Amino acid sequence: MAKILIVEARFYAHLNDLLLAGARAAIEEAGHSHETITVPGALEIPGAVSMAAESGRYDGFVALGVVIRGETYHFEIVAGESARGLMALSMDGLCVGNGILTVENEAQALTRAKPDEKDKGGEAAKAALAMLALKSRFG
């Protein structure tokens, strides 16, 4: 049984509740355990995953959050840099599922977050578990 850490940027609580529900259901359905920690925003997720990985207590990680485009360039920075940070961690051998939604508006986020619709939280958890299985195959 693997232990998965869910790292969430809880900026939009109602959307994160949906993402968390999907991720937790996918992890539990696969027979694994999980913990959840919260960070201030999506930019802090890669750093938190890196710190948690150094502890050696977790086998995989799920990143959850929502970034909605606003009027400034900040959206591109947050969306791109959080994804870049998670990709760098995965290239270093960590098993990470990226469930950070980067959307134009709340309606898009709702569709993607709801477990009975696009279930991006569940998909991120399944991606982390798939990478964990692949890592054990090569390990």
Side-chain angles (χ1 to χ4, degrees), residues 3-7 23 27 35 37 45-46 48-64 86 89-90 93-99 124-129 131-132 135:
K3 186 163 191 175
I4 307 299
L5 180 65
I6 300 169
V7 181
I27 293 166
E35 287 182 28
I37 62 168
I45 292 174
V49 169
S50 180
M51 286 184 266
E54 289 178 10
S55 77
R57 297 189 337 220
Y58 304 99
D59 302 299
F61 305 89
V62 179
L64 299 178
L86 293 175
L89 292 168
S90 69
L94 296 185
C95 301
V96 181
N98 184 351
K126 289 175 185 175
L129 294 173
M131 293 306 289
L132 187 58
K135 185 174 184 175

Side-chain angles (χ1 to χ4, degrees), residues 4-84:
I4 307 299
L5 180 65
I6 300 169
V7 181
E8 65 157 343
R10 196 159 182 81
F11 196 80
Y12 299 98
H14 64 295
L15 298 170
N16 268 69
D17 287 342
L18 297 168
L19 289 169
L20 276 169
R24 288 174 174 161
I27 293 166
E28 291 167 7
E29 184 177 305
H32 303 293
S33 66
H34 57 82
E35 287 182 28
T36 302
I37 62 168
T38 301
V39 296
L43 285 174
E44 289 76 33
I45 292 174
V49 169
S50 180
M51 286 184 266
E54 289 178 10
S55 77
R57 297 189 337 220
Y58 304 99
D59 302 299
F61 305 89
V62 179
L64 299 178
V66 179
V67 183
I68 299 176
R69 184 181 300 278
E71 298 176 1
T72 68
Y73 186 70
H74 187 67
F75 170 87
E76 282 82 4
I77 293 169
V78 175
E81 291 301 310
S82 62
R84 185 199 58 76

Side-chain angles (χ1 to χ4, degrees), residues 82-134:
S82 62
R84 185 199 58 76
L86 293 175
M87 181 58 69
L89 292 168
S90 69
M91 296 296 290
D92 286 341
L94 296 185
C95 301
V96 181
N98 184 351
I100 300 174
L101 303 181
T102 52
V103 296
E104 297 292 327
N105 54 55
E106 187 174 340
Q108 289 178 351
L110 273 169
T111 297
R112 286 157 179 75
K114 288 181 180 177
D116 61 345
E117 290 191 35
K118 295 203 178 217
D119 192 23
K120 295 300 182 181
E123 285 183 14
K126 289 175 185 175
L129 294 173
M131 293 306 289
L132 187 58
L134 189 61

